[in-house]
């Protein structure tokens, strides 16, 4: 049925875990040209045993996507229940366990889908064993990543996602689980401006604490999260970092750059030499050699790219990146070795200025800073963006860069100038560099732009630039022997064709390469010795400099420092294109050394090796050399005890790169440590600062929504947003300080207003909903009753209890409905669209609205054993959920859903021209089941354990029993090895009433069975016990062996008093004396309260029919009878517990006797004795 989303019925998929270093390349292509499809993600886990964790990854994507990975068995060719689909996207989704183990192919079982809302939802279950419960005291960070988010989002559309689950088994053995639809529709009321009326969403979540019986649901703690972990920025307040480049200029490092087989290459770059430190050194010094040599498999790349985010705090800005004098170094004699600025990037309010330093003499004594300034105002689109207060929130409303995060990209390309003969007849070729600059992906122009000379042909908009050391108006010139020579013919190689946006060639940083054996040791001007057998410059140019962030400490001018923020700075081998920049600049990247699709650190050739970046491919291929995210997790605090690096405002002492990193499976790599940047702690320093969250950089969320109360999963928007779809990410933990897990979903804010007369939301956007007028409503019906005064919990009861089926509608999430394992529950789900109901009210039963307005449902993840009936094509529509939870499902289970309408505009020309409007969805509502073990039935506390009876009087026991489960029933019976007293009867069982609960028992299941007994004349002295059982049904057999009935037991002791009798109606003493074989005079004498022997006494009056006699030691029944003038049979008739006439009685035992003075013994044992002392007693005589 269209619009109905179901849930998976099959078993979960378990996936093998692959070592990161051995992960094969799964290039799951198919969506590169499509928009984002990711809609929902949630990661939760539970510990199975020591350090073994079972992860569940839930995800939802757009269902109808033209890729074979999403095809399925439904009639429309796409996935439905029972299908398996492979997660894919513009970047393949993957799951990183956080300990260098990675899943790069995720195949999920479809557990729900919606045709009308166009999504498919599934889950992957995988087990993983960690070496330790946590990562050296910190949580393991398990990451679910991929790209891209739904293109329909108004925030973070087409952006990657990264969901991080924290795992610390020393604190929590299980994580919370969230239940929410992939897209939650929320109505907006634009005429109500109160902050309490802002759109909000309640996110259901539960966590069951293991090891407890019964399981309990723990408290939950909610926090807002980022769409992916972008870390933080670094604040530079006249401080800087310093990274010594000396190891980069090591000859072994330089050889490794272009020679994969070089023995000097470390294992981690052997197949990827283009990212070795030696490459960075050669790129900085423009050590570009042209054709390959015998020593090099290929030549080096002529270009590199630097990009990163920057926020300047004042119009002056500052130098964000350069090379120069290292921190702690106060003097530098050979500036060409230890102080030269091989790269220079400065950002101020209106320009990005780039360049480098260049020696003016061979001795390297005089230096100049050659720069090119790129104007912000040169790109109209950038100016419009910078001035847009909707894009740059809470920033200066102007086109400057002050106070705004901007992404700066600088590309430098090396060129070799024309060859000429020096006076020394040594051939010299001059080196030049050109620059390109982008801000936020917009290309900037220089103040004096290269042009296409008159009569020349410039392809693809390219222009001519000249190799000149100074401006030459209206022409190009060659730099020959320190003299600008005009090239009037324009054909002698003095000109170069430049691409769009490329600056004129700027001399340097190297001065020239010369064909001489050895450059003099004192020549630090940057001249390069070029020998046929050598593919790199053999000199000391720049080899003692440091890479600096936030400072200029070069050879040509005074030191200067930067004040502002830096984040996510990347260095690439090769020239990044504008599309490359736009594809990745607004998302963080986390490169690894695996061959998985999307790794930016390596370009794979046909043999699976790292492809070298060289002149033939540097414009189409790039490889990441280094990445500095400036995150606290990559930093060391100056004072970790009092101000750790994780705290905003705390100072850093050093920063390690995000890349390169040491692969876990390989030995320590010395070169990785070379990339550690040290902070000059003698200055104000570099500290942890929050990064942008307004949507300019990586995500938009911080200013968009918030968690109202950390103890409740209620998310609200901080201001009234425009209608549309928004991405929301939150983290939930069992409690504050415990590891948390993420949930990422979409909130669809619908332009609507509540109609108080119609009690429905009216849709305002007739462009989107041309003939759909109302948002449908969703309600529930079920027989339930309240368990608590505050109505926070209800319980399912039998329909026979006569309770109103509509009660449950008031008790949906967060209120709970108690259910019991083994007992089925049913909930009727009702969808209603007022558009159809309105037509009914007008008595237009077959009118166009009623006939063509339908309602279906979207159901989120539900238990595998739950069943949903088909939805009739009606309005209102109903669907019944039936579920019998089993013992394996104890704890909390939440099922969320919404109602989805469906409107058809019929055409007079037939169904082929009918129109279907966009569906509208109700607000999400959830059923919150609390499943408990089936309880054992209980006997009422008021049932006596002992019953004292009198001969002739009826005694009874009211056996009352009940079950705490109102869906169960109870049967009271004798236990199998027990019997009733002689003559007792057990009445038929009857219900106690038709209520729900009172202080002592449950009336919904309470039953009563009465045992009645009137002891007969010979039952005096009877003692015995009888045990009764209360047994329930045990529930449904659908749970297999779990359906075992429960039984409780109650035992009653019975005792019939001796020598007492309860008179029956109209009985007199003469009749009673005949019954007990005693004359009436003796009976009268035993009952002093009877004043006349002929009086008729009242019914049930108790009379004594004998004396109580206490047995002395060694007395026997026959002797007692003889002594008292009784027969043994008479004595036995009066005493039920006397077994035989010769039985030895117990001292102190009581008997009922009726002495006869006429027949009894005249003398006793003590006759004739005189009392002297205690030895007078029989014990003395008998020796007892």
């Amino acid at each position: 049925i269209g619009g109905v989303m179901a849930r998976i019925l099959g078993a979960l998929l378990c996936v093998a875990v692959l070592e990161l270093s051995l992960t094969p390349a799964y290039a799951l292509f198919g969506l590169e040209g499509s928009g984002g499809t990711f809609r929902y993600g949630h990661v939760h886990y539970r510990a199975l045993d020591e350090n073994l964790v079972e992860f569940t990854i839930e995800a939802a994507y757009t269902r109808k996507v033209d890729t074979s990975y999403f095809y399925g068995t439904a009639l429309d060719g796409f996935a439905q229940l029972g299908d398996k689909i492979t997660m894919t996207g513009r970047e393949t989704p993957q799951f990183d366990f956080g300990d260098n183990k990675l899943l790069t192919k995720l195949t999920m079982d479809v557990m729900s889908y919606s045709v009308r809302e166009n999504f498919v939802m599934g889950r992957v279950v995988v087990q993983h064993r960690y070496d330790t419960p946590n990562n050296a005291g910190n949580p393991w960070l398990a990451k679910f990543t991929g790209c891209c988010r739904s293109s329909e989002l108004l925030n973070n559309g087409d952006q990657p996602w990264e969901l991080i689950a924290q795992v610390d088994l020393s604190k929590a053995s299980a994580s919370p689980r969230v239940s929410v639809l992939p897209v939650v529709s929320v109505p907006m009321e634009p005429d109500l401006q109160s902050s309490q009326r802002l759109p909000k969403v309640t996110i259901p979540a539960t966590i069951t604490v293991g090891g407890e019986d019964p399981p309990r649901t723990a408290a939950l703690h909610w926090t807002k999260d980022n769409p992916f972990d972008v870390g933080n920025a670094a604040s530079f307040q006249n401080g800087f970092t310093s990274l010594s480049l000396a190891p980069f200029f090591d000859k072994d490092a330089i050889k490794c750059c272009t020679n994969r087989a070089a023995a000097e290459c470390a294992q981690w770059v052997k197949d990827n030499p283009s990212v070795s430190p030696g490459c960075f050194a050669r790129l900085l010094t423009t050590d570009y050699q042209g054709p390959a040599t015998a020593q090099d498999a290929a030549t080096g790349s002529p270009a590199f790219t630097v990009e990163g985010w920057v926020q300047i705090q004042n119009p002056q800005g500052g130098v964000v990146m350069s090379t120069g004098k290292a921190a702690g170094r106060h003097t530098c004699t050979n500036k060409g070795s230890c102080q030269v600025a091989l790269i220079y990037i400065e950002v101020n309010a209106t320009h990005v200025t780039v360049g480098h330093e260049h020696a003016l003499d061979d001795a390297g004594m005089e230096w100049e800073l050659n720069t090119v300034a790129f104007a912000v105002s040169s790109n109209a689109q950038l100016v419009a963006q910078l001035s847009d207060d909707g894009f740059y929130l809470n920033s200066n409303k102007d086109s400057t860069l002050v106070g705004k995060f901007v992404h700066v990209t600088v590309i430098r390309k090396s060129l070799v100038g024309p060859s000429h003969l020096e006076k020394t007849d040594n051939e010299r070729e001059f080196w030049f560099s050109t620059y390109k600059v982008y801000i936020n992906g917009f290309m900037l122009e220089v103040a004096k732009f290269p042009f296409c000379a008159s009569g020349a042909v410039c392809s693809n908009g390219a222009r001519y630039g000249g190799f000149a050391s100074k401006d030459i108006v209206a022409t190009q010139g060659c730099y020959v022997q320190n003299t600008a020579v005009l090239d009037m013919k324009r054909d002698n190689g003095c000109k170069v064709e430049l691409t769009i946006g490329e600056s004129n060639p700027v001399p340097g940083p190297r001065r020239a390469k010369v064909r001489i054996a050895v450059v003099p040791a004192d020549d630090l001007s940057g001249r390069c010795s070029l020998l046929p057998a050598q593919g790199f410059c053999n000199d000391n140019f720049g080899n003692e400099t440091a890479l600096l962030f936030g400072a200029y400490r070069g050879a040509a001018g005074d030191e200067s420092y930067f004040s502002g923020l830096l984040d996510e700075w990347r260095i690439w081998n090769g020239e990044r294109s504008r599309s490359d920049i736009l594809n990745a600049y607004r998302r963080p990247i986390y490169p690894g050394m695996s061959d998985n699709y999307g790794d930016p650190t390596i370009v794979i050739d046909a043999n699976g090796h790292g492809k070298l970046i060289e002149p033939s491919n540097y414009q189409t291929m790039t490889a990441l050399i280094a990445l500095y995210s400036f995150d606290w997790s990559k930093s060391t605090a100056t004072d970790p005890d009092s101000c750790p690096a994780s705290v905003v405002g705390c100072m850093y002492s050093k920063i390690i790169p995000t890349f390169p990193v040491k692969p876990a499976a390989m030995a320590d790599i010395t070169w990785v440590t070379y990339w550690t940047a040290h902070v000059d702690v003698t200055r104000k320093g570099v500290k942890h600062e929050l990064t942008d969250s307004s949507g300019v950089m990586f995500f938009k969320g911080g200013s968009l929504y918030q968690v109202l109360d950390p103890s409740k999963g209620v998310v609200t928007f901080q201001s009234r947003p425009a209608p549309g779809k928004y991405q929301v990410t939150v983290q939930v933990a069992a409690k504050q300080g415990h590891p948390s897990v993420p949930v990422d979903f979409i909130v669809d804010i619908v332009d609507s207003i509540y109609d108080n007369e119609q009690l429905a939301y009216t849709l305002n956007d007739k462009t989107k909903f041309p003939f759909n007028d109302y948002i449908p409503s969703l309600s529930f019906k079920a027989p339930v009753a309240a368990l608590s005064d505050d109505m926070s919990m209800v319980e399912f009861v039998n329909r026979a209890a006569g309770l109103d089926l509509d009660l449950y509608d008031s008790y949906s999430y967060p209120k709970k409905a108690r259910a019991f394992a083994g007992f089925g529950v049913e909930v009727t789900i009702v969808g209603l669209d007022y558009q159809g109901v309105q037509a009914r009210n007008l008595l237009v039963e077959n009118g166009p609205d009623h006939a063509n307005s339908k309602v279906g449902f979207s159901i989120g993840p539900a238990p595998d054993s739950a069943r949903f009936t088909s939805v009739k094509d009606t309005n209102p529509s109903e669907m019944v959920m039936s579920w019998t939870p089993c013992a394996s499902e104890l704890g909390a289970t939440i099922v969320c859903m919404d109602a989805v309408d469906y409107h058809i505009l019929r055409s007079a020309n037939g169904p082929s021209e009918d129109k279907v409007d966009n569906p509208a969805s109700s607000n999400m509502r959830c059923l919150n089941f609390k499943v408990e073990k089936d309880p054992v039935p209980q006997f009422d506390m008021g049932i006596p354990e002992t019953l004292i009876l009198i001969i002739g009087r009826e005694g009874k026991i009211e056996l009352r029993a009940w079950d705490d489960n109102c869906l169960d029933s109870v049967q009271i019976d004798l236990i199998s090895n027990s019997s009733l007293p002689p003559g007792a009867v057990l009445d038929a069982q009857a219900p106690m009433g038709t209520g729900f609960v009172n202080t002592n028992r449950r009336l919904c299941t309470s039953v009563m069975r009465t045992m009645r007994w009137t002891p007969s004349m010979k039952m005096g002295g009877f003692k015995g016990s009888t045990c009764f059982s209360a047994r329930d049904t045990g529930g449904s057999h659908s749970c297999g062996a779990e359906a075992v009935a429960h039984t409780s037991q109650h035992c009653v002791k019975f005792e019939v008093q001796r020598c007492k009798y309860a008179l029956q109606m109209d009985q007199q003493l003469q009749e009673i004396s005949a019954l007990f074989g005693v004359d009436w005079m003796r009976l009268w004498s035993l009952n002093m309260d009877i004043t006349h022997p002929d009086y008729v006494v009242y019914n049930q009056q108790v009379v004594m029919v004998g004396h109580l006699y206490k047995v002395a030691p060694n007395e026997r029944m026959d002797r007692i009878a003889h002594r008292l003038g009784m027969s043994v049979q008479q004595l036995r008739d009066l005493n039920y517990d006397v077994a035989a006439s010769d039985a030895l009685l117990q001292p102190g035992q009581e008997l009922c006797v009726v002495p006869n003075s006429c027949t009894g013994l005249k003398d006793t044992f003590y006759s004739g004795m005189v009392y002297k002392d205690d030895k007078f007693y029989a014990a003395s005589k008998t020796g007892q």
Side-chain angles (χ1 to χ4, degrees), residues 147-192:
C147 188
C148 298
R149 296 183 181 277
S150 172
S151 302
E152 300 175 334
L153 291 172
L154 297 184
N155 67 323
N156 308 317
D158 289 317
Q159 294 296 307
W161 73 86
E162 181 182 55
L163 307 183
I164 301 178
Q166 301 175 355
V167 182
D168 187 341
L169 301 180
S170 67
K171 292 184 177 181
S173 60
S175 73
R177 180 179 181 181
V178 175
S179 298
V180 67
L181 293 175
V183 181
V184 179
S185 179
V186 179
M188 183 178 69
E189 300 171 326
D191 62 329
L192 300 176

Side-chain angles (χ1 to χ4, degrees), residues 85-118:
I85 62 175
T86 301
M87 298 186 195
T88 188
R90 283 192 277 180
E91 286 189 7
T92 303
Q94 59 187 20
F95 191 71
D96 183 348
F97 293 99
D99 60 352
N100 294 302
K101 295 182 178 65
L102 187 73
L103 287 178
T104 57
K105 188 176 183 180
L106 301 175
T107 300
M108 69 181 189
D109 287 319
V110 176
M111 61 182 180
S112 57
Y113 73 99
S114 175
V115 175
R116 291 181 187 168
E117 293 187 291
N118 192 23

Side-chain angles (χ1 to χ4, degrees), residues 937-948:
Q938 302 291 324
F939 279 100
D940 194 79
M941 295 292 293
I943 302 175
E945 295 182 355
T946 302
L947 185 63
I948 308 297

Side-chain angles (χ1 to χ4, degrees), residues 525-542:
S525 66
R527 290 195 301 166
C528 172
S529 167
L530 181 63
L531 300 178
Q534 181 173 283
F536 56 89
C537 296
N538 186 18
D539 57 32
N540 295 323
F541 183 52

Side-chain angles (χ1 to χ4, degrees), residues 947-1140:
L947 185 63
I948 308 297
L949 298 103
I950 297 175
I951 298 172
R953 175 183 291 177
E954 182 185 75
K956 64 179 180 180
I957 294 288
E958 291 183 344
L959 299 165
R960 300 177 299 274
W962 52 275
D963 197 298
D964 200 35
N965 176 4
C966 280
L967 296 176
D968 208 345
S969 62
V970 179
Q971 179 62 43
I972 300 175
D973 284 303
L974 285 170
I975 65 173
S976 59
N977 59 348
S978 187
S979 61
L980 294 174
V985 294
L986 191 61
D987 292 349
Q989 181 171 293
M992 291 186 63
T994 57
F996 183 59
V997 64
N998 65 12
T999 55
N1000 296 321
R1001 58 191 177 273
R1002 291 298 186 95
L1003 295 183
C1004 62
T1005 58
S1006 291
V1007 293
M1008 182 174 70
R1009 207 167 178 189
T1010 303
M1011 192 212 80
R1012 305 175 188 276
W1013 184 33
T1014 302
S1016 64
M1017 299 300 175
K1018 298 181 179 181
M1019 298 302 296
F1022 174 89
K1023 291 183 179 180
S1025 64
T1026 299
C1027 293
F1028 304 91
S1029 67
R1031 180 185 179 90
D1032 65 11
T1033 65
S1036 170
H1037 290 280
S1038 63
C1039 292
E1042 300 175 21
V1044 177
H1046 304 95
T1047 302
S1048 61
Q1049 180 175 295
H1050 184 82
C1051 295
V1052 180
K1053 294 180 179 179
F1054 299 98
E1055 181 177 337
V1056 181
Q1057 293 183 317
R1058 303 174 194 270
C1059 297
K1060 291 184 179 181
Y1061 174 74
L1063 297 178
Q1064 307 302 301
M1065 184 67 69
D1066 297 331
Q1067 278 188 325
Q1068 294 182 340
L1069 291 183
Q1070 289 84 347
E1071 181 180 353
I1072 299 171
S1073 63
L1075 292 174
F1076 287 93
V1078 61
D1079 63 85
W1080 67 267
M1081 293 186 65
R1082 280 185 291 167
L1083 189 62
W1084 185 33
S1085 66
L1086 290 172
N1087 294 276
M1088 301 299 295
D1089 55 335
I1090 299 177
T1091 58
H1092 193 283
D1094 297 330
Y1095 287 170
V1096 177
V1097 296
Y1098 60 86
N1099 185 35
Q1100 293 294 300
Q1101 180 177 353
V1102 177
V1103 297
M1104 295 294 295
V1105 295
H1107 285 285
L1108 291 176
Y1109 179 87
K1110 182 177 291 187
V1111 177
N1114 296 322
E1115 283 192 303
R1116 296 193 327 183
M1117 194 171 70
D1118 56 344
R1119 293 178 180 177
I1120 294 174
H1122 178 65
R1123 180 183 180 187
L1124 297 177
M1126 300 174 60
S1127 68
V1128 173
Q1129 185 60 44
Q1130 184 184 19
L1131 189 59
R1132 292 180 63 187
D1133 289 344
L1134 290 174
N1135 297 277
Y1136 183 87
D1137 54 337
V1138 177

Side-chain angles (χ1 to χ4, degrees), residues 338-415:
C338 59
Q339 194 168 347
V340 58
L342 302 173
I343 183 69
Y344 177 93
I345 304 174
E346 178 188 1
V347 180
N348 63 28
T350 58
H351 288 79
V352 176
T353 302
V354 296
H356 51 263
E357 290 181 333
H358 178 246
L360 298 180
D361 60 345
D362 287 347
M365 300 300 295
E366 186 177 355
W367 295 83
E368 66 176 354
L369 179 62
N370 292 332
T371 60
V372 181
F374 290 80
V376 171
S377 61
S378 64
N379 191 297
Q381 291 176 291
L382 174 61
V383 170
Q385 185 184 79
L386 292 170
S387 306
D388 183 359
D389 57 7
F391 185 81
Y392 277 101
L393 304 174
N394 304 319
S395 298
N396 298 326
K397 304 302 187 290
D398 56 31
S399 61
T400 70
L401 304 184
V402 179
K404 301 167 185 174
F405 266 106
V406 294
H407 182 268
V408 176
T409 303
V410 177
I411 300 170
R412 187 172 85 183
K413 183 168 65 175
S414 299
L415 302 172

Side-chain angles (χ1 to χ4, degrees), residues 442-481:
F442 296 108
M443 180 183 289
L444 302 188
E445 297 182 2
V446 293
K448 183 179 184 305
F449 208 72
F451 61 94
C452 187
S454 176
V457 178
C458 301
S459 61
N460 299 323
R463 303 158 188 222
Y464 279 144
F467 293 102
S469 61
K470 60 184 69 176
D471 292 340
I472 303 174
V473 180
T475 187
Q476 299 87 38
C478 296
Y479 190 65
V480 180
Q481 297 180 1

